[in-house]
Amino acid sequence: MARPYHPKREVSFGPSRLVLNTAPRHWLARPGWLRALVLALFLLVDGYIGLIHGLGTIVWSGLFTSQLEWLLLPIEVMVGALLLLRIILSQVRASWKSTLIVLTPILVVLISFVVLELLLTGSGRKATIKFNLSSVGLSGLYWSAAYLSVAVGLTLTYKVQRFANFAQAEMVLFGSYIALLLMWSNRFFPISDSPSDGILNWELLLWAGVSAFVITGALGFAIDRVVYKRFRAKMGTPQVMMIASLGVSMILRGLLYMRFGAGTFRFVPDRDWRLTTSTIKFPAEQVTLHLGDAGNQPLMEMATSVSPYAFAYSKFTFVIGMFAIAILLLFLLHRTRFGRQMRAVADNPDLAASSGIHVERVHGGTAFLSSGIAGFAGALIAAILPINPELGLSLLLPAFAVIVLGTIGSVPGAIIGALIVGLLRAASEPVLIGVGDALDRPSASGFAQVVPFVFLVGLLLLAPRGIGFALQNWNIDRIKKQRLSRQNAHYASRVKLLIPIGRLPVVTAPLRGFFERANHRREIILDWLTNALSLFWAARINYLAKLPSKAKVLSNRIVETRNLSHIRHRHLPRIDRETERGSWILFAILFLVLAAIVFMLPSVSSLTKTLQVARIVTLVGIFGLASFSLNLHTGITGMTNFGVIFFVGIGAVVVGLLSTPVALNGYGWSPWTATLIAVGISATLGWLLAYPTARLRMDYFAIVTISLGEMLRISLQAEPLMRAGSTLTSAIGISQYPRPLESWWENGPAHRIGDLLGLHVAAPYVVLLAMLAATTLIAVWFLLNTLLASPWGRILRSIREDEVVSQHHGHNILIHKAASLALGAAIAALAGALWAWLNTSIWPDFMNPVRTTFLIWAAFIVGGRGNNRGMIIGAFLIVIVEFIFNVLVVSRGSSSLPFHGLTSLMDSIFSWLVTSIGGLVWSIRSIEAVFPNGDVELSLTHLKLALIGMVIVGGLVSSSKGLLPEIPRRPKHPPGPPEDTSERKEAA
Amino acid sequence: MKLRGLFGLLVMTVAVSLLMACGGASSVKIGMLSPQTGPIAQFAPGFASAGSVGLASINEVYDGNFEFELITADSGCDSTTAATAAQTLIDSGVLVIVGAACSGASTAAIAVAAPAGVPMISYASTAPALTTADDNGYFFRIVPSDAQQAVALTDVASAAGVKNPAVLYMTNDYGAGLGDNFISNWSGEICTKAAYDPAEGKYDASALAQAVVSGGCDSVLLMSYSTDGASIVEALSAQGFEGVMIGADGIADANFTGDFTDASAVDGLIATRPRPGKDSVAKSKFESAYAAADGKDGIYTHETYDAIKIAAAAIASDPDGDLRVAVAKIGTNYDGASGNHTFDANGDVIGTGYEVCQFTGTNFSCPRVWSADGGLATK
């Protein structure tokens, strides 16, 4: 995109800032980069001597076990090196900077290899890493295409519509299922089912690609009309639209599950496509790296006699198709009228509208294109992978990493980002296998799927605005230089052309005279116009002064009655959700209604009812605390945090690991100390997170936080240090940790409380946990309310409203953001501790970002951003919804259970929809492939998913503030005399 | 706006209470936790089919005496979902819970079920932590420990003349348990160890296969589920791998070929699975009923069926007594579809060994058996 170049804008504030920053009084006041340089060098040297010689602060401190030391030291060196790189980047001349930023991916990879080499040398181990160049390259292309399938639409939506569309992954899936439906249709099934004949049949694949493009595009267009158009009309924030897209994705996934079930299907365009012999053989060369063995073996060895790499036709088609469509999109954006319109809307929708572009049509077109491309990709990917409704989610998070890496909203950036991430993903696998072997971590290759995130986080710290931004700058520089040189050339040539003309003063003299006269006349005209205007102005004022007196009387009366109504209004207490009292009343009503539902939930005995209520209370406590944390970060401070689950997870994992007995690979601390440490660690991490991420844009911050959660989850799967609860270190998960006060409870109060509740047995432990959770929730609520009512709360809100203004008022934004992150993280860690005790064990899946994080987000949005009362209602609501739907789900099994009739009714409606109505579109074969014997049954679990999605979308469409909106904290207007207002109105 | 919303809520509450008031004749309820959502949701249809086959069978056996109902709830593969689902099952009055599948789901669910006095019989949780979990004796499982199968696999691999195997395994508790145990049992060299996430779109089967081929490995040990296992076996064949392929119970099934487009790739694959009882009547009976019900291919379907049968037998033997005791008693030398089972004091089954199956062409047969004391033997 050709952005006009404004040389003046860039230098305008330079000198004044320099004046403010100079004049160092003592060492600490030296420029920040100098201090950072000292820190970086210290980290590098300290880490280096730690790794190689077993010296340095980490070793001397004696705080860590040797396993942990080996984990921390490489991290220390890595941080030091990245910091150093960042200082170089910030201090280097501007003309080199863009080039350096574009080179950072390579530098980061190099640094990681150096760190690995140090680690291996230090620990006296040797690693052999075998890169098969063809395998890495082609597999990398495959990953690139797979990530690109989601990323293209994602970045396009971002560019034009300015929000992160979580439903993009479902669009890919939708395309896959269209391909499957075509395969099952009577027209195409014979092609798919025919025996192999050695000839590739393209017919079904082409049809599937085209129809997936059109139908998915139409779906995207329809969703845009029904949902996002409303938000645009209401000037909805990108955040609200993003959460709405989350709701849309839940609805779509729920529908896909209901129609196609959870099983996997393979799309066979023709049997020949999927034969193991349907491959292209690429000759392979193998590069072997020997790390940690510097003295004995060469670092790198080449071997050519390895077996060729077979790349399946279907993958080849997918890669070609994906990159072709991305390049077509680029062409469309830059060479066609519609593309120019899209870019215009992306740059400034209002300006675009004013110059005659139909903005809504451009939005619709963008939605069609981004969904259509995803659908097309889905059809192609179905020919490679077995399809089930979870597939989209596997691609969504890496796709986010791709578009952030390539700068959000840039299509060429997305292509480059996909290539980098894809190749890195493919190349990391051999590295992880080799290094994991050397370090006794056979499951290290499980980390391959987080490599994109780790890399992204590292890179964002260096180039906070992504590579695409640097590329764009670089491009602008290049174009600028080109223009300048071309201009000079142009000038020179024009001067040459002008020379003969200059020799003809006879011709120019009369012309000059004409211009002089014209200029003179213009001045006269301008004078005349100004006079006319001032005359008119004077006349208007005279006219107003001479208004008929009757009209004045009338207008006075109107003002009086208005004032009267105003006064009357003021006497009535204004009860509204957005006043303190109204908010409390609505909170009480909602709370009581929810409590009544809890009371009415069916149960068979007083014991099971006690268990049920205690469980609900504990869950409300956990989700409430997590929502408090999210509210503090996002609702109050305005940082979009998708990593609540990261902090919750840190809390749970640290509590679990520290309190598990030593015999079971734990540390054997008491649950209370462990909780304190967990809260401390989580708060520290929250504080530290502020430093690298403070400069990041909102969306980038969101992606970094969501990546952190994913990293923790994969570490739980693949890192032996994160396992405890069994004598075997191979056992994934943390379990067998003690819970607080467990023996005290069972030996005393349990019996008394059991009698009190009329249970006839001792009260179960979960009752105590419920009391703990409720107490913690209320205490944190009180603490937060006090803090947020203090000046600090006001500063946080002012940061949310406008960072620049609060900075201007002398607040150190970084410190306040860090404090907010730390406090929120500490609260989330408490939720994590409670969660660990409730579940009695910690498994990687409990931190599923898509499930848990978004559930907390739903509570946050539905409850009401910025209002802690809303958080409690939101948390209560999501817990209750789960229970109510479970009651529905189980009712199918027995006629004696409540709602049994309702579920049978829903079943028959669904069956009618699928067979009679849907039967018009799809074949009987497609129904029988999913439902055993063709007996269509509604999956209530997935209906729940779709309904929660509908609640989110519907709630946001009707009121984007949530149930209990934030109470605006404005100073009360002083009651002025009514005359004042009337005069003001009159004047207006 | 606000009032309308509140009114709606009130109407809903009244409607809920009215609907709850109605209820019919009581029958004996067995609960089932099935992973209908989450990473292993693709196997839920198989569990559901096996569940309904089991239900039909118990209602036939105890016809006239008991009327059983199977109540299924979604456990996800997630502790919180599972525990909430277990709570709902208990609230609807189930006497025994069959499930859950994922180990995390089982540990959280037993923390709810044990205080309520409801025994759980898991059909797929293999984590070693469940052996020693604080379940007050309420937790049983029909799946043998991974550690033992890893020993069986070691013997099978040695017998196949394997020198330098590659180990490919999933990064979940089942895969990691088998893989790590195999690695520590294997005395010889191991050429490559690679872990992968079995969710589609998170691993590249061709790259895994290429790592095996370019590493010069003479064989592959594959700890996988069926769909990902098929993709990897196909990829191995595409990359020209010609060594021995050995798998575990995730793929040891005649239906495994159904996951292939090109089933010829399966030729020569060896796989172990728990050994069925002496007369495998239960097994053949289940398999024919399962096929008649158009059941989906899957894993642990035999175990699901057995868990339901054991639950029903326990309830029938002592409807009002301590079901923990009844389940333990029924589960002594029990001849089921998935093998001969005896629960030990921890609720784990003491396996009677494994059978070693193989694909010749696409034909599936199990000519050998393995037991802890006898090692490998021909049947």
Side-chain angles (χ1 to χ4, degrees):
Chain A
M1 73 176 66
R3 184 185 282 180
Y5 173 62
H6 304 287
K8 274 182 190 166
R9 202 188 277 170
E10 285 194 359
V11 287
S12 58
F13 294 113
S16 63
R17 205 189 286 156
L18 228 126
V19 171
L20 280 177
N21 269 353
T22 46
R25 267 150 298 181
H26 55 93
W27 193 83
L28 269 178
R30 292 223 174 249
W33 67 268
L34 230 132
R35 270 177 290 154
L37 183 68
V38 172
L39 179 65
L41 290 176
F42 169 75
L43 286 177
L44 274 175
V45 172
D46 189 53
Y48 178 81
I49 56 171
L51 278 173
I52 302 294
H53 305 292
L55 308 166
T57 44
I58 287 191
V59 182
W60 290 333
S61 69
L63 278 174
F64 310 99
T65 60
S66 74
Q67 286 259 19
L68 268 180
E69 273 174 13
W70 285 114
L71 191 73
L72 286 174
L73 285 169
I75 293 177
E76 189 187 3
V77 179
M78 194 78 200
V79 169
L82 287 182
L83 201 59
L84 191 66
L85 196 55
R86 185 169 147 177
I87 296 162
I88 294 172
L89 274 177
S90 67
Q91 293 307 314
V92 86
R93 226 190 302 159
S95 56
W96 293 7
K97 194 171 173 178
S98 300
T99 326
L100 257 181
I101 288 183
V102 177
L103 284 178
T104 41
I106 300 167
L107 291 176
V108 170
V109 171
L110 277 179
I111 292 176
S112 350
F113 270 106
V114 172
V115 172
L116 269 182
E117 167 77 22
L118 287 178
L119 170 65
L120 288 166
T121 315
S123 57
R125 294 161 197 251
K126 287 172 250 176
T128 313
I129 299 166
K130 291 174 185 160
F131 287 110
N132 181 321
L133 293 184
S134 310
S135 166
V136 167
L138 291 166
S139 175
L141 279 180
Y142 159 67
W143 283 118
S144 313
Y147 295 151
L148 204 57
S149 64
V150 180
V152 171
L154 212 55
T155 206
L156 191 62
T157 316
Y158 217 105
K159 185 184 176 78
V160 181
Q161 312 195 310
R162 296 185 177 182
F163 71 99
N165 188 359
F166 279 89
Q168 203 62 41
E170 271 63 34
M171 291 299 172
V172 174
L173 270 179
F174 203 82
S176 305
Y177 280 105
I178 286 173
L180 282 173
L181 280 181
L182 273 186
M183 181 185 85
W184 283 321
S185 69
N186 292 330
R187 157 106 168 67
F188 290 110
F189 191 69
I191 298 178
S192 161
D193 201 37
S194 67
S196 140
D197 54 4
I199 302 159
L200 286 187
N201 188 332
W202 285 83
E203 194 183 351
L204 175 52
L205 190 67
L206 287 180
W207 270 102
V210 172
S211 30
F213 180 80
V214 174
I215 299 174
T216 316
L219 175 76
F221 179 78
I223 292 174
D224 183 68
R225 284 290 108 132
V226 175
V227 181
Y228 304 122
K229 193 181 172 187
R230 290 167 201 265
F231 291 114
R232 283 198 295 272
K234 290 200 300 186
M235 309 289 280
T237 60
Q239 221 181 57
V240 168
M241 285 167 88
M242 184 166 71
I243 299 305
S245 80
L246 187 68
V248 170
S249 94
M250 286 164 102
I251 297 172
L252 287 177
R253 193 149 23 104
L255 291 177
L256 286 176
Y257 260 122
M258 277 149 67
R259 171 62 186 83
F260 295 101
T264 54
F265 295 104
R266 281 158 198 265
F267 172 54
V268 185
D270 168 28
R271 205 161 285 264
D272 293 296
W273 274 103
R274 303 204 63 146
L275 291 182
T276 50
T277 47
S278 300
T279 53
I280 305 171
K281 298 248 195 262
F282 284 87
E285 288 189 22
Q286 185 161 296
V287 175
T288 311
L289 290 182
H290 298 283
L291 291 184
D293 201 11
N296 306 319
Q297 268 176 318
L299 185 65
M300 207 189 270
E301 265 181 326
M302 290 283 279
T304 40
S305 62
V306 288
S307 67
Y309 180 72
F311 198 54
Y313 290 155
S314 51
K315 281 188 181 172
F316 200 73
T317 319
F318 176 54
V319 170
I320 300 272
M322 230 26 253
F323 280 95
I325 204 162
I327 289 164
L328 268 180
L329 179 70
L330 270 182
F331 178 80
L332 178 95
L333 276 175
H334 289 274
R335 290 280 180 276
T336 65
R337 193 179 155 73
F338 184 69
R340 246 172 274 138
Q341 289 181 345
M342 275 164 84
R343 285 188 291 140
V345 173
D347 280 349
N348 188 340
D350 292 334
L351 198 61
S354 75
S355 51
I357 294 173
H358 193 320
V359 174
E360 273 306 310
R361 199 162 62 197
V362 172
H363 278 299
T366 311
F368 178 87
L369 267 179
S370 53
S371 308
I373 291 174
F376 173 77
L380 292 187
I381 214 171
I384 305 169
L385 296 176
I387 298 302
N388 79 339
E390 293 289 315
L391 172 66
L393 294 176
S394 313
L395 300 178
L396 182 68
L397 292 186
F400 268 115
V402 162
I403 67 163
V404 171
L405 197 63
T407 300
I408 289 184
S410 148
V411 177
I415 298 177
I416 294 171
L419 279 172
I420 294 177
V421 172
L423 284 172
L424 207 72
R425 168 78 167 81
S428 63
E429 214 145 326
V431 177
L432 288 168
I433 290 175
V435 174
D437 237 7
L439 297 176
D440 296 330
R441 273 164 175 68
S443 45
S445 58
F447 278 110
Q449 50 170 315
V450 285
V451 164
F453 305 125
V454 178
F455 181 69
L456 173 78
V457 172
L459 207 66
L460 272 186
L461 305 186
L462 297 172
R465 284 186 279 191
I467 295 179
F469 187 76
L471 264 184
Q472 199 184 352
N473 266 353
W474 183 69
N475 226 1
I476 289 172
D477 273 355
R478 194 173 51 91
I479 292 170
K480 199 172 75 190
K481 269 183 201 153
Q482 258 180 18
R483 283 243 176 103
L484 274 177
S485 58
R486 206 189 300 155
Q487 219 167 27
N488 289 341
H490 218 65
Y491 229 62
S493 59
R494 210 193 295 164
V495 167
K496 263 180 209 158
L497 274 176
L498 280 173
I499 292 167
I501 300 167
R503 280 179 192 156
L504 296 170
V506 193
V507 187
T508 48
L511 264 176
R512 201 178 290 149
F514 170 76
F515 275 120
E516 270 169 13
R517 254 174 289 150
N519 270 343
H520 184 64
R521 275 207 196 125
R522 198 182 59 187
E523 267 164 33
I524 294 172
I525 294 168
L526 271 177
D527 272 357
W528 187 82
L529 262 177
T530 326
N531 286 340
L533 259 177
S534 57
L535 262 176
F536 173 74
W537 201 248
R540 189 179 162 269
I541 289 167
N542 275 345
Y543 170 76
L544 280 177
K546 287 175 194 164
L547 258 182
S549 53
K550 268 189 185 176
K552 206 169 190 179
V553 170
L554 193 73
S555 75
N556 269 354
R557 264 193 212 151
I558 292 171
V559 168
E560 263 169 44
T561 44
R562 255 197 211 152
N563 280 344
L564 270 180
S565 70
H566 179 67
I567 289 163
R568 216 180 293 144
H569 202 83
R570 196 180 281 166
H571 279 286
L572 276 174
R574 200 168 139 249
I575 300 183
D576 186 301
R577 291 185 304 168
E578 294 188 41
T579 60
E580 190 68 29
R581 194 188 297 185
S583 187
W584 271 114
I585 292 174
L586 187 59
F587 170 76
I589 294 172
L590 288 172
F591 192 86
L592 285 177
V593 168
L594 289 171
I597 296 178
V598 173
F599 180 71
M600 279 184 302
L601 277 176
S603 197
V604 285
S605 71
S606 56
L607 175 64
T608 57
K609 187 76 194 172
T610 311
L611 278 169
Q612 182 195 62
V613 174
R615 182 168 180 80
I616 289 175
V617 172
T618 317
L619 280 176
V620 171
I622 293 166
F623 279 103
L625 286 171
S627 313
F628 280 166
S629 159
L630 180 60
N631 191 29
L632 181 63
H633 291 167
T634 311
I636 308 284
T637 323
M639 300 175 285
T640 310
N641 179 8
F642 272 157
V644 198
I645 195 61
F646 170 69
F647 296 118
V648 173
I650 287 285
V653 167
V654 173
V655 165
L657 275 180
L658 289 185
S659 58
T660 306
V662 180
L664 300 173
N665 294 313
Y667 294 83
W669 296 19
S670 97
W672 296 114
T673 336
T675 311
L676 272 181
I677 302 280
V679 168
I681 290 181
S682 185
T684 316
L685 285 176
W687 184 281
L688 289 179
L689 186 64
Y691 284 88
T693 56
R695 299 185 300 162
L696 296 185
R697 266 169 55 180
M698 171 202 116
D699 328 289
Y700 290 27
F701 183 75
I703 302 302
V704 167
T705 45
I706 205 170
S707 311
L708 287 176
E710 194 62 2
M711 284 181 217
L712 183 61
R713 187 174 76 84
I714 305 295
S715 310
L716 274 173
Q717 278 183 352
E719 174 53 50
L721 280 180
M722 302 272 243
R723 297 173 188 173
S726 164
T727 45
L728 305 161
T729 49
S730 66
I732 289 179
I734 302 167
S735 55
Q736 314 273 336
Y737 43 84
R739 304 193 279 181
L741 301 176
E742 204 167 6
S743 56
W744 169 79
W745 171 259
E746 270 156 20
N747 293 329
H751 297 279
R752 256 174 291 139
I753 290 180
D755 288 342
L756 207 69
L757 293 168
L759 302 181
H760 311 298
V761 282
Y765 177 75
V766 67
V767 174
L768 174 68
L769 206 55
M771 291 189 225
L772 265 178
T775 323
T776 318
L777 185 72
I778 292 169
V780 170
W781 189 12
F782 181 76
L783 174 84
L784 271 179
N785 275 357
T786 317
L787 274 176
L788 292 181
S790 75
W792 187 60
R794 275 199 288 276
I795 295 172
L796 291 189
R797 272 185 228 102
S798 78
I799 291 176
R800 174 188 67 187
E801 300 303 336
D802 195 329
E803 254 181 54
V804 181
V805 169
S806 41
Q807 198 163 25
H808 177 75
H809 280 255
H811 299 304
N812 187 341
I813 293 190
L814 182 63
I815 297 290
H816 291 303
K817 273 187 168 178
S820 161
L821 275 171
L823 179 63
I827 295 170
L830 278 179
L834 284 169
W835 212 340
W837 295 329
L838 178 69
N839 282 347
T840 67
S841 63
I842 300 157
W843 300 82
D845 290 303
F846 109 100
M847 334 213 344
N848 185 346
V850 179
R851 218 193 95 76
T852 320
T853 307
F854 298 156
L855 214 56
I856 298 169
W857 264 88
F860 168 70
I861 293 286
V862 172
R865 272 162 293 159
N867 188 339
N868 276 337
R869 279 187 289 274
M871 293 306 106
I872 292 182
I873 293 297
F876 207 159
L877 209 62
I878 56 168
V879 172
I880 284 294
V881 163
E882 180 90 13
F883 271 89
I884 291 177
F885 269 97
N886 269 346
V887 169
L888 262 182
V889 169
V890 299
S891 72
R892 173 175 284 141
S894 164
S895 56
S896 62
L897 289 174
F899 298 118
H900 184 73
L902 182 67
T903 43
S904 331
L905 180 70
M906 278 155 71
D907 262 353
S908 46
I909 293 175
F910 182 69
S911 167
W912 175 74
L913 278 176
V914 169
T915 44
S916 304
I917 302 293
L920 302 173
V921 182
W922 47 63
S923 63
I924 297 292
R925 198 175 290 112
S926 75
I927 300 173
E928 281 171 349
V930 177
F931 301 99
N933 290 328
D935 297 333
V936 180
E937 204 177 52
L938 173 64
S939 164
L940 291 165
T941 317
H942 301 117
L943 178 68
K944 171 176 82 176
L945 187 71
L947 283 180
I948 292 180
M950 282 181 204
V951 167
I952 293 179
V953 175
L956 285 178
V957 166
S958 64
S959 151
S960 53
K961 287 177 177 174
L963 282 172
L964 292 169
E966 184 177 14
I967 299 154
R969 282 163 203 271
R970 293 187 202 101
K972 287 190 183 85
H973 287 294
E979 286 82 18
D980 290 353
T981 43
S982 73
E983 258 173 33
R984 216 187 298 147
K985 268 180 190 142
E986 198 185 333
Chain B
M1 174 70 208
K2 177 190 79 193
L3 273 179
R4 225 184 330 141
L6 279 183
F7 183 70
L9 265 179
L10 274 178
V11 167
M12 213 179 76
T13 354
V14 171
V16 166
S17 53
L18 279 178
L19 274 166
M20 281 175 178
C22 60
S26 69
S27 47
V28 179
K29 299 189 187 79
I30 297 175
M32 175 163 161
L33 290 173
S34 169
Q36 291 168 349
T37 54
I40 62 162
Q42 50 172 314
F43 304 115
F47 298 146
S49 301
S52 54
V53 169
L55 179 68
S57 162
I58 53 177
N59 272 329
E60 192 189 309
V61 172
Y62 302 102
D63 191 27
N65 300 321
F66 291 95
E67 197 208 328
F68 288 103
E69 285 171 325
L70 187 66
I71 298 174
T72 311
D74 171 36
S75 63
C77 198
D78 161 87
S79 314
T80 317
T81 317
T84 304
Q87 178 66 49
T88 314
L89 287 178
I90 290 160
D91 286 334
S92 36
V94 300
L95 295 184
V96 180
I97 293 176
V98 171
C102 294
S103 301
S106 288
T107 35
I110 193 63
V112 174
V118 174
M120 271 176 61
I121 309 172
S122 170
Y123 51 86
S125 300
T126 51
L130 278 164
T131 302
T132 44
D134 180 21
D135 57 40
N136 221 350
Y138 280 100
F139 186 76
F140 302 89
R141 53 176 161 177
I142 311 201
V143 276
S145 138
D146 300 327
Q148 213 182 11
Q149 188 166 195
V151 179
L153 283 170
T154 319
D155 284 1
V156 170
S158 315
V162 163
K163 294 279 177 313
N164 191 18
V167 185
L168 304 181
Y169 61 98
M170 302 179 288
T171 47
N172 53 26
D173 50 299
Y174 168 70
L178 270 178
D180 285 358
N181 279 313
F182 176 85
I183 290 167
S184 58
N185 282 330
W186 184 254
S187 50
E189 230 174 285
I190 287 178
C191 121
T192 298
K193 303 160 205 162
Y196 67 94
D197 188 325
E200 292 304 332
K202 287 196 174 168
Y203 69 100
D204 181 6
S206 311
L208 286 172
Q210 185 60 37
V212 173
V213 173
S214 57
C217 314
D218 68 343
S219 57
V220 174
L221 263 290
L222 183 58
M223 287 75 173
S224 69
Y225 292 142
S226 54
T227 322
D228 51 325
S231 299
I232 292 172
V233 170
E234 273 186 333
L236 279 168
S237 152
Q239 300 302 341
F241 177 75
E242 278 164 356
V244 184
M245 293 180 284
I246 301 170
D249 46 352
I251 57 176
D253 195 291
N255 284 334
F256 182 49
T257 51
D259 282 314
F260 287 79
T261 321
D262 188 0
S264 64
V266 83
D267 180 32
L269 179 75
I270 304 174
T272 57
R273 66 174 180 191
R275 181 185 182 180
K278 281 190 187 67
D279 62 278
S280 50
V281 181
K283 183 174 161 61
S284 55
K285 216 169 143 187
F286 165 71
E287 279 170 1
S288 58
Y290 190 74
D294 198 9
K296 302 288 165 205
D297 314 332
I299 50 167
Y300 296 123
T301 47
H302 297 71
E303 284 82 356
T304 312
Y305 174 81
D306 284 351
I308 289 171
K309 298 270 286 187
I310 291 177
I315 295 168
S317 71
D318 187 9
D320 303 314
D322 188 342
L323 282 172
R324 264 182 299 190
V325 181
V327 170
K329 211 167 115 192
I330 295 294
T332 309
N333 200 14
Y334 179 86
D335 250 344
S338 61
N340 184 289
H341 301 302
T342 299
F343 291 122
D344 67 7
N346 292 320
D348 288 351
V349 284
I350 308 162
T352 51
Y354 295 83
E355 53 179 359
V356 183
C357 310
Q358 64 196 46
F359 287 91
T360 319
T362 53
N363 292 326
F364 182 75
S365 61
C366 305
R368 290 180 293 169
V369 289
W370 179 94
S371 59
D373 38 358
L376 268 179
T378 322
K379 222 182 232 176

